[in-house]
Amino acid sequence: MAEPSLMLKEQDLPLLVDLYELAMAQAYWRSGMDGEAVFSLFFRKLPEHRNFILACGQQQVARVIESLRFTDENIRRLEALDRFEPGFLDWLRQWRFTGSIRALPEGTPVFPQEPLLEITAPVAQAQILESLVMNYVHLESTLASKAVRHVLAANGRPVVDFGMRRMHGLDSAWRGVRAYRVAGLAGTSNIQAGTDFGLPVKGTMAHSFVQACEDEMAAFRMYAELYPGTTLLVDTYDTRGAVRNIARWLRENPDVDIGGIRLDSGDLGEEARDCRQILDEAGLDHIRIMASGGLDEYQIDSLVAAGAPIDGFGVGTAIGVANDAPAIELAYKLTAYQGEPRMKKSTGKRSWPCPKQVFRQFDGSGRMQRDLIAEASEEGEGTPLLQPVMRDGHLVEGAIAPLEDQVDYARDAVAALPDQQKQLAPAAQAYPVNFSKSLEQKQAQTLERIAHLQEWNYRGQD
């Protein structure tokens, strides 16, 4: 067996499925079940530490789906599993997504039971996409939802991503930066992702550079000469001593251009106050103070509330792995087949049937007031959020906004949230999400039909 490649390629994506998806697709194919199905992607409840989820990736995944193809290598691997019939493998060779997708705009705050996207397609096509769609949207929504909390906590101060080294895989580190930009982060240390997604690339130095040089000031002088306007890392040995030395050096050499200092350890609030005083007394009030070192949104919120003179924050692990809520319980469920409502009845996991629309209602000041989940065919009060991004297997021209517009949309959408949904602590009241009377009736009718079918099956067995 040949060694696998070190990185996944685009042509590998068709096999990034759970076995049961292809097994079910073969069963649909074998039985001639090719009716139109509607699948909805949603979550049933918020993670414990979230008042909303910032939906991200649900439009972008349509770009992946449009180009998805089973290659000869994909088919060879499936043949080796000895589970699939030759006719079905021939069907996969010709596989193209021919359906449609409606999705929320990138950067939309979303709540339980609201579809992030809905896929309408022949049932086997839609089934094959389940794990790929869920993984893609889950990653970006989880990271964006964590990142936006840091942006809110920083209260206007820039937050920079330093998380690549501890993230769960290189794909996460790359696509996460797109989510961070949508969420409002000001920069990233990740060069590839930053240049790909237009997020400013930022960074300072590591302690190893200071340690490798003859002494601390030699390191500072070298960096300042090479990188005018640089930020110096001052806590390798003695933070306050380093800042005093910098102040003395800059007074004696006013042409030297230092933009800021970075604190990475200790009591950041206390150290920032002392360093600010040292710099200000030396007439260096233009030099900014940046803080990093295991920060999360709670620590940032505490520092801001205490008035710590910190001008920006670098955050790594907390954002990169969404440490307090690393998972959203996304579900991908069949809601209609051949025009008939479908739903799951299981205890604790009952779903809502039918294709849907989410209508967002605002008060007179533009603040979000409530949402209404209705049938897709209904007219509701408010702004309809689900919009077509694919038709007949092709992207709808202009449906996916440029990334710059997505960033603006997300910023405005988060600003419109009620204040208690924007706080870090659990909201005293959940954001109001209601269901239309028509959708409630459809659920009741579908439950009744399921009950009748179950009763008929039980009698038939007797």
Side-chain angles (χ1 to χ4, degrees), residues 38-42 113-119 331-335 352 354 356:
V38 180
F39 281 81
S40 180
L41 182 70
F42 64 99
Q113 299 294 343
E114 297 181 341
L116 281 71
L117 62 75
E118 289 197 333
I119 293 179
Y332 182 83
K333 297 301 177 187
L334 180 70
T335 62
W352 289 84
C354 305
K356 300 173 190 70

Side-chain angles (χ1 to χ4, degrees), residues 143 146-151 153-154 157-167 177 180 185-190 202 262-264 268 290-301 303 310 312-323:
L143 297 180
K146 181 65 169 178
V148 74
R149 286 167 60 84
H150 288 74
V151 173
R157 298 163 180 79
V159 180
V160 177
D161 156 47
F162 286 173
M164 176 171 63
R165 66 190 68 186
R166 293 194 179 97
M167 292 180 73
V177 170
Y180 297 155
L185 262 59
T188 179
S189 62
N190 184 330
K202 296 179 180 292
R262 177 160 70 96
L263 308 174
D264 193 54
L268 294 175
M290 183 177 184
S292 58
L295 290 174
D296 62 16
E297 68 266 44
Y298 301 103
Q299 293 166 298
I300 290 174
D301 182 65
L303 288 165
I310 296 174
F313 301 94
V315 183
T317 304
I319 284 183
V321 301
N323 58 352

Side-chain angles (χ1 to χ4, degrees), residues 217-330:
M217 285 307 300
F220 293 163
R221 290 188 184 96
M222 189 185 308
Y223 236 64
E225 181 181 356
L226 188 58
Y227 306 111
T230 191
T231 297
L232 300 175
L233 181 61
V234 296
D235 73 324
T236 304
Y237 304 120
D238 175 356
T239 299
R240 293 164 183 80
V243 176
R244 290 190 188 96
N245 287 336
I246 289 172
R248 188 179 306 111
W249 169 42
L250 295 181
R251 283 198 305 268
E252 296 170 357
N253 299 273
D255 293 337
V256 175
D257 183 9
I258 301 298
I261 62 171
R262 177 160 70 96
L263 308 174
D264 193 54
S265 58
D267 184 328
L268 294 175
E270 182 179 337
E271 292 201 350
R273 290 184 184 90
D274 290 350
C275 291
R276 184 75 275 159
Q277 182 178 352
I278 294 168
L279 293 169
D280 289 351
E281 288 176 352
L284 302 171
D285 56 351
H286 64 283
I287 292 183
R288 302 178 305 277
I289 298 176
M290 183 177 184
S292 58
L295 290 174
D296 62 16
E297 68 266 44
Y298 301 103
Q299 293 166 298
I300 290 174
D301 182 65
S302 181
L303 288 165
V304 171
I310 296 174
D311 302 296
F313 301 94
V315 183
T317 304
I319 284 183
V321 301
N323 58 352
D324 64 331
I328 304 167
E329 291 295 328
L330 286 178

Side-chain angles (χ1 to χ4, degrees), residues 59 100-103 385-391 396 398-400:
Q59 289 190 336
S100 63
I101 299 177
R102 294 180 305 124
L385 297 182
L386 288 165
Q387 299 297 330
V389 293
M390 289 191 80
R391 290 195 186 99
V396 176
I400 303 178

